[in-house]
Amino acid sequence: YHPDKQAAAEAEAEESARRFLEIHQAWKVLGNEEAKQEYDLQQREDNLTKEWPLHEQIYLEDMSWNEDEQLYTLSCRCGGNYSISKSETKDVSLVCCDTCSLVIEILQ
């Protein structure tokens, strides 16, 4: 898709240039660990809202803090747990149960 290697009609050249820019942007994200992590978290959150039902909205301070594991946890009605690490709390707002398909939203 590199524009310098395309010898096509103008419409195809524009499409190739657009595609090249998309690929270039993807490589910029993949090449930066922080940007990749942010992208992965956003994708995970988007997928959770599409695939699983939102069970409840919870404030972070309503969850239990586990000092040993450095995790906030909350029991799910199925007997499983919702868990989120302290480092994820700024980037993640949706957390899925570790044993069922329910999801909670963390309110800030």
Side-chain angles (χ1 to χ4, degrees):
Y1 290 107
H2 196 282
D4 292 343
K5 297 192 180 205
Q6 300 298 317
E10 187 175 328
E12 290 176 0
E14 287 178 21
E15 175 63 22
S16 292
R18 184 191 63 76
R19 184 73 176 132
F20 175 78
L21 291 174
E22 288 175 355
I23 293 169
H24 177 70
Q25 183 63 32
W27 273 110
K28 283 174 53 178
V29 170
L30 291 173
N32 179 318
E33 191 60 38
E34 190 173 301
K36 183 181 181 305
Q37 183 178 18
E38 183 178 319
Y39 176 82
D40 289 345
L41 288 172
Q42 182 62 46
Q43 287 297 108
R44 179 178 172 219
E45 188 171 306
D46 289 347
N47 288 337
L48 285 175
T49 58
K50 291 177 190 170
E51 295 174 13
W52 292 319
L54 184 62
H55 173 63
E56 197 170 359
Q57 293 180 316
I58 301 288
Y59 286 100
L60 192 59
E61 54 266 15
D62 293 334
M63 297 180 78
S64 300
W65 172 247
N66 182 322
E67 188 69 38
D68 294 335
E69 296 182 26
Q70 296 288 300
L71 288 174
Y72 289 97
T73 60
L74 181 72
S75 294
C76 180
R77 69 182 187 196
C78 75
N81 286 305
Y82 300 101
S83 301
I84 184 169
S85 70
K86 191 170 189 168
S87 63
E88 293 176 319
T89 59
K90 292 178 179 58
D91 300 319
V92 175
S93 63
L94 297 175
V95 180
C96 61
C97 176
D98 60 4
T99 58
C100 75
S101 63
L102 294 177
V103 174
I104 60 170
E105 180 178 16
I106 307 294
L107 303 174
Q108 301 292 334

